[in-house]
Amino acid sequence: MQSSQKTGAKSYLITKTLDPENQETPIQFIHKDFVTEKLFYRRNHFSYPNFVSSFYWLSIGGLVNFSRTFSLEEIQALPSKTLKSVLECAGNKRGFFKPMVFGEQWQKGAISQGIWKGVSLRTMLRYTGVLEAAKEVVFEGYDFGVRTDSNDLTYFSRSLPIEKALHPDTLIAYEYNGKPLPFKHGFPLRLIVPEWYAMASVKWIKKITVIDHEFKGPFQAVDYVYYPKKDSDEGKLPVTTMKINSTIQQPIDRQILNTGFHTIAGIAWTGRGVITKIEVSVDGGMTWSFANLVQSPEKYAWVRWEYKWEVFEKGEYTILSRAMESEGGKQPKEAVWNRKGYGYNAIDTIKVKVE
Amino acid sequence: MQSSQKTGAKSYLITKTLDPENQETPIQFIHKDFVTEKLFYRRNHFSYPNFVSSFYWLSIGGLVNFSRTFSLEEIQALPSKTLKSVLECAGNKRGFFKPMVFGEQWQKGAISQGIWKGVSLRTMLRYTGVLEAAKEVVFEGYDFGVRTDSNDLTYFSRSLPIEKALHPDTLIAYEYNGKPLPFKHGFPLRLIVPEWYAMASVKWIKKITVIDHEFKGPFQAVDYVYYPKKDSDEGKLPVTTMKINSTIQQPIDRQILNTGFHTIAGIAWTGRGVITKIEVSVDGGMTWSFANLVQSPEKYAWVRWEYKWEVFEKGEYTILSRAMESEGGKQPKEAVWNRKGYGYNAIDTIKVKVE
């Protein structure tokens, strides 16, 4: 018989649904900037696509001077760009909306981060040219299926306004963390649109089309729209840039702690500007202190932060975190409720008991 | 380059804390009666114990005629018993209490089931005898640590009343699903106490002591006690038998569904008697229908059930499940709130939207 010293414990993806596969990152336990493939959240609208990548070609057409197809080898031979970027599902934290909304009840883990390598879409569009009338660029993925609101087959497609499409950091990515893109994250090619919620970062790109009008696919005109009213579409707005946000990773909500010293730790991120400060409150928001940034804030990436807490009085404590960014934005006390549950970014709140 | 057909999706344990390790079973995705080691929920009060199992002896002492130690080989040579039993953490579904309580916020997955093989404790106690004065039997595990409410080292210990200890189905178990107990589930020996919440099924048993009084260890006299009041201990009662309960596995809460046919499926279990019926409501409890039992109900085990639902009208639906058992018990509309959040067993409720 062997000695039984096995103390290894690890965290796993948290399953929401299996087909389509939707799993969230155990974000409370992620203390690195590079989420591994194993723990990178998975968000799909349809079953995984089934295509033969040995015949893979990416076509670019529509309002261009020269329609073209690119092989993966041709794309990888172009000048590359590498950047660290958060991907956050627009539905991250949906489960916190009150009143509750329908759809996957994401907690705090529909977010991950790592290093993406690819070609600027701008670079590729130099080979095709773009006509004067171009207004948007449409990206269609290989994934398709039947939506609950229609009987037809629909491909997952999204567009970007031409300015965002031509931003040098909008990438056609083929590597993640130094390796080929994992299949579940878009192999061989996915879009990476820094600063935007991740529905924009289309996976398994099949074709790119430049158009002169507003794209109206259901993942753009029906889903990924903020509907502020429960029973009408009045006041609707498209979901685009990630809102400023922060998440407390530890302690865990409703944890029971000893008196003494504790580290309150978390991450903060924003789609506009750069995180500049994170404040923490241990008294339900009456007083606030600055957290220490564990690293220098960078555009597109989350910043890790910590706050050392000494607590000697037993009782219940409400701990909050709120982030501020370089353009003057601040994490709000309440998130803006919307029918489909996008963009939840209220000041993060947990409760602990000290005994 | 290879073809990229990889559609495998699987569920994983859901991490609550890593040290001590507390992970729940993705119960919505378990459609078998034998939860694998990989997906069996893990509930620990302390770090995993560190002991050398090649020197493993189990000692039985206290109010017995002959104190003795047993080697694992001796125990395995005794007449064995095999039974299928649920293990359910007393804190299962704690996260659903309103007002919220402190402690691990278990959802519906602090429950698992499989086949346990071992020796009746009763059989072992024939070798030691039990004195007339015996009132309880105390089981001490190898796991220990510092509790938040004390500065001393504490071993995890629990007792059983002598009648329950002598019940022929109270096992000293050494196999799970036909294999040696996994280390994380108590290797080499754990107690299995059918019908009781799983805090009674002490893991990594170190010693067994027969006593003539009420055992007052903190995992018996402080924790695993129902405290009906927030601020006083008035009315407290020990946690023992599992309450009648049921869980809807599918659909998922807040899922968006098509019109048409859906299967509502789940499990039901009880610590008293045997499950006899499960009713399902798709209109928030106004009307109820019987679910089909997928298997014959057995003592100690959960029963799987299904209900075929046809839905043609779009809208929001509140789906409930409630179980009944052979002694006349019924799953209640509301769970009895208690300060530490044990025994949540309200009628299970989910909401879906049909569009």
Side-chain angles (χ1 to χ4, degrees):
Chain A
M1 207 184 304
Q2 286 182 301
S3 160
S4 299
Q5 186 180 359
K6 299 180 199 161
T7 53
K10 56 183 184 172
S11 58
Y12 306 89
L13 287 171
I14 300 159
T15 313
K16 299 297 174 191
T17 60
L18 284 174
D19 189 15
E21 186 173 24
N22 284 299
Q23 307 230 27
E24 74 177 80
T25 296
I27 194 72
Q28 277 88 346
F29 306 101
I30 300 291
H31 299 295
K32 295 193 173 156
D33 286 337
F34 314 107
V35 175
T36 58
E37 175 191 348
K38 249 190 174 151
L39 295 183
F40 202 107
Y41 80 96
R42 299 170 184 171
R43 202 283 173 257
N44 292 286
H45 290 273
F46 301 122
S47 300
Y48 286 109
N50 182 4
F51 58 92
V52 180
S53 58
S54 39
F55 295 101
Y56 185 84
W57 294 89
L58 173 62
S59 72
I60 303 187
L63 299 183
V64 293
N65 297 109
F66 315 97
S67 292
R68 276 204 52 158
T69 56
F70 292 83
S71 72
L72 188 55
E73 291 68 24
E74 286 173 308
I75 291 171
Q76 288 170 336
L78 295 174
S80 71
K81 185 151 203 175
T82 300
L83 50 86
K84 180 161 72 177
S85 177
V86 157
L87 280 194
E88 183 190 12
C89 174
N92 190 25
K93 303 190 182 188
R94 177 181 288 139
F96 297 103
F97 275 110
K98 293 276 155 5
M100 286 177 76
V101 295
F102 290 90
E104 282 71 21
Q105 296 299 296
W106 301 106
Q107 304 295 307
K108 301 180 184 181
I111 182 170
S112 292
Q113 175 174 277
I115 303 279
W116 307 96
K117 181 179 171 184
V119 186
S120 294
L121 175 62
R122 184 187 183 89
T123 301
M124 294 186 66
L125 291 175
R126 283 215 193 98
Y127 289 81
T128 62
V130 170
L131 297 185
E132 191 77 37
K135 197 175 165 198
E136 294 192 347
V137 180
V138 181
F139 305 85
E140 184 174 303
Y142 272 97
D143 49 330
F144 68 92
V146 178
R147 290 170 52 92
T148 52
D149 58 1
S150 155
N151 292 319
D152 301 327
L153 283 182
T154 311
Y155 277 88
F156 186 82
S157 294
R158 292 268 319 171
S159 76
L160 289 176
I162 190 75
E163 313 76 51
K164 188 69 180 172
L166 290 175
H167 189 290
D169 292 338
T170 295
L171 299 189
I172 303 292
Y174 48 78
E175 275 189 23
Y176 179 67
N177 288 351
K179 288 187 216 149
L181 271 187
F183 172 71
K184 291 192 170 181
H185 298 288
F187 177 88
L189 293 177
R190 80 174 295 169
L191 197 60
I192 291 293
V193 185
E195 299 184 329
W196 281 40
Y197 282 112
M199 73 281 153
S201 294
V202 176
K203 289 175 283 195
W204 309 291
I205 308 175
K206 191 168 71 173
K207 62 176 185 184
I208 297 176
T209 312
V210 180
I211 62 174
D212 63 358
H213 55 277
E214 237 178 276
F215 178 65
K216 292 283 189 194
F219 294 102
Q220 188 126 353
V222 179
D223 295 336
Y224 299 113
V225 172
Y226 296 112
Y227 298 100
K229 309 223 159 166
K230 184 173 195 297
D231 298 310
S232 91
D233 292 356
E234 208 188 312
K236 68 179 180 176
L237 279 173
V239 173
T240 58
T241 310
M242 286 188 292
K243 296 184 177 184
I244 184 169
N245 218 330
S246 69
T247 282
I248 298 169
Q249 296 175 297
Q250 60 177 72
I252 301 292
D253 191 24
R254 298 283 157 174
Q255 199 168 345
I256 298 169
L257 301 173
N258 265 318
T259 54
F261 293 84
H262 298 283
T263 300
I264 301 169
I267 53 174
W269 67 99
T270 177
R272 189 181 75 156
V274 175
I275 293 293
T276 50
K277 287 180 209 158
I278 292 107
E279 289 176 307
V280 170
S281 172
V282 294
D283 57 11
M286 301 215 292
T287 62
W288 294 86
S289 306
F290 289 117
N292 294 314
L293 306 191
V294 176
Q295 62 204 145
S296 301
E298 292 170 63
K299 235 171 138 56
Y300 310 154
W302 68 40
V303 56
R304 285 178 289 135
W305 54 266
E306 279 185 3
Y307 176 75
K308 301 285 177 193
W309 183 36
E310 303 179 31
V311 57
F312 298 108
E313 204 169 319
K314 295 175 185 194
E316 299 182 10
Y317 292 86
T318 300
I319 301 175
L320 314 178
S321 73
R322 74 174 172 204
M324 274 141 276
E325 44 88 340
S326 52
E327 313 283 303
K330 229 180 179 174
Q331 210 179 336
K333 208 166 162 186
E334 296 202 8
V336 180
W337 187 91
N338 61 97
R339 188 168 80 227
K340 293 205 174 213
Y342 299 120
Y344 186 95
N345 74 330
I347 288 176
D348 204 31
T349 304
I350 64 164
K351 278 195 181 186
V352 299
K353 185 177 188 182
V354 175
E355 65 175 28
Chain B
M1 206 183 305
Q2 287 182 298
S3 161
S4 298
Q5 185 179 0
K6 299 178 199 164
T7 53
K10 55 183 184 173
S11 59
Y12 306 90
L13 286 171
I14 300 159
T15 312
K16 299 297 171 186
T17 61
L18 284 174
D19 190 15
E21 187 174 23
N22 285 300
Q23 307 229 29
E24 74 178 80
T25 297
I27 195 71
Q28 276 88 346
F29 305 102
I30 300 290
H31 299 294
K32 294 194 174 157
D33 286 337
F34 315 107
V35 175
T36 58
E37 174 190 349
K38 248 190 175 152
L39 294 184
F40 202 106
Y41 80 97
R42 300 171 183 170
R43 201 280 176 260
N44 292 285
H45 290 273
F46 301 121
S47 298
Y48 285 109
N50 183 3
F51 59 91
V52 179
S53 57
S54 37
F55 295 101
Y56 184 83
W57 294 89
L58 172 62
S59 72
I60 303 186
L63 299 183
V64 293
N65 296 109
F66 315 98
S67 292
R68 300 203 24 168
T69 56
F70 293 83
S71 71
L72 188 56
E73 289 70 21
E74 288 173 307
I75 293 170
Q76 288 170 337
L78 295 174
S80 70
K81 185 151 202 173
T82 299
L83 50 85
K84 180 160 76 177
S85 177
V86 156
L87 280 192
E88 183 191 12
C89 176
N92 190 26
K93 304 192 180 185
R94 177 180 288 137
F96 296 103
F97 275 110
K98 293 275 157 350
M100 286 178 76
V101 296
F102 290 90
E104 282 70 20
Q105 297 298 295
W106 301 107
Q107 303 295 306
K108 300 180 185 179
I111 183 169
S112 291
Q113 174 175 278
I115 302 278
W116 307 96
K117 180 181 173 184
V119 185
S120 293
L121 176 60
R122 184 187 183 88
T123 303
M124 295 186 68
L125 290 175
R126 285 214 191 99
Y127 289 83
T128 61
V130 170
L131 298 184
E132 191 78 37
K135 196 172 167 201
E136 294 193 346
V137 181
V138 181
F139 305 85
E140 185 174 301
Y142 271 99
D143 49 331
F144 68 92
V146 178
R147 289 169 52 92
T148 52
D149 58 1
S150 154
N151 292 318
D152 301 327
L153 283 182
T154 311
Y155 277 89
F156 185 80
S157 294
R158 292 267 319 173
S159 77
L160 289 177
I162 190 75
E163 313 76 53
K164 188 71 179 170
L166 290 176
H167 189 290
D169 292 339
T170 296
L171 299 189
I172 304 291
Y174 49 77
E175 276 189 22
Y176 179 68
N177 287 352
K179 288 188 214 147
L181 271 186
F183 172 71
K184 290 190 171 180
H185 298 289
F187 176 88
L189 293 178
R190 79 173 297 168
L191 197 59
I192 291 294
V193 185
E195 300 185 329
W196 282 39
Y197 282 114
M199 73 283 152
S201 295
V202 176
K203 288 175 284 196
W204 310 291
I205 307 175
K206 191 168 73 176
K207 62 176 184 187
I208 296 176
T209 312
V210 180
I211 61 175
D212 64 359
H213 55 275
E214 236 177 275
F215 178 64
K216 291 286 190 194
F219 293 102
Q220 188 126 353
V222 178
D223 295 337
Y224 299 113
V225 172
Y226 295 112
Y227 298 102
K229 308 224 158 164
K230 184 173 196 295
D231 296 313
S232 90
D233 291 356
E234 210 187 310
K236 69 180 179 178
L237 279 173
V239 173
T240 58
T241 309
M242 287 188 293
K243 297 183 177 184
I244 184 168
N245 217 331
S246 70
T247 283
I248 299 168
Q249 296 175 298
Q250 60 178 67
I252 301 293
D253 192 25
R254 296 281 156 181
Q255 200 168 343
I256 298 168
L257 301 173
N258 264 319
T259 53
F261 293 85
H262 298 285
T263 300
I264 301 170
I267 53 173
W269 66 99
T270 177
R272 191 181 74 155
V274 174
I275 293 292
T276 49
K277 288 180 208 155
I278 293 104
E279 289 176 308
V280 169
S281 172
V282 295
D283 58 10
M286 300 214 292
T287 61
W288 295 85
S289 307
F290 290 118
N292 295 314
L293 308 192
V294 177
Q295 62 206 144
S296 301
E298 293 170 63
K299 237 171 135 54
Y300 310 157
W302 67 41
V303 57
R304 286 178 287 135
W305 53 266
E306 278 185 4
Y307 176 74
K308 302 283 177 193
W309 183 36
E310 304 179 30
V311 56
F312 298 107
E313 202 169 318
K314 296 177 185 193
E316 299 182 11
Y317 292 86
T318 299
I319 301 174
L320 314 178
S321 73
R322 75 175 172 203
M324 275 141 275
E325 44 89 340
S326 51
E327 314 282 304
K330 226 180 180 173
Q331 209 180 339
K333 207 163 162 188
E334 294 204 8
V336 180
W337 188 92
N338 61 97
R339 190 167 81 226
K340 293 205 174 212
Y342 299 120
Y344 186 96
N345 75 329
I347 288 176
D348 204 32
T349 305
I350 65 164
K351 279 195 181 186
V352 299
K353 186 179 187 180
V354 175
E355 66 174 28

